[in-house]
Amino acid sequence: MNTLVETRLQQHDPLVHCELMQVASHVQRFNGECIINTLMMDGYDFPFKYGRKNKCRNLKGKQVDLSYYPSIEVIADFEMNIMKVVQIKVISM
């Protein structure tokens, strides 16, 4: 890991960083003023979400490095674990 990621992990205790994660599915949907992107990763049972102003290319099948915060989202009185992505880097392969 590079020193920038290590510094962020030390400053923000609940922040998690994972490298070379394989994207199983990628969904983009419009939500008011931004596009909500939802990623499902191979080997994980919870979604990784992040917002962007514009649509981006489909990440299905790509490898990515992610920094995220674990969180809980309530949908129809049902608590669901989600990961709020703060940084994503697509690995070119």
Side-chain angles (χ1 to χ4, degrees), residues 8-63:
R8 285 184 181 165
L9 290 173
Q10 290 173 356
Q11 291 174 348
H12 305 279
D13 188 39
L15 183 67
V16 179
H17 180 77
C18 294
E19 295 183 345
L20 298 175
M21 296 178 71
Q22 185 77 26
V23 179
S25 72
H26 179 203
V27 176
Q28 300 180 67
R29 64 187 179 285
F30 185 71
N31 184 17
E33 57 193 49
C34 68
I35 305 291
I36 302 297
N37 291 270
T38 304
L39 302 173
M40 291 299 292
M41 301 295 177
D42 285 340
Y44 293 87
D45 293 333
F46 40 81
F48 292 79
K49 290 185 170 185
Y50 65 97
R52 290 182 58 125
K53 290 184 180 181
N54 301 317
K55 281 189 139 185
C56 63
R57 64 180 183 236
N58 192 351
L59 299 177
K60 184 176 179 181
K62 304 282 186 192
Q63 287 188 331

Side-chain angles (χ1 to χ4, degrees), residues 66-84:
L66 293 174
S67 295
Y68 60 90
Y69 289 102
S71 182
I72 294 176
E73 188 174 281
V74 178
I75 301 173
D77 293 333
F78 179 72
E79 289 186 355
M80 184 174 169
N81 289 329
I82 65 163
M83 304 301 134
K84 292 185 178 182

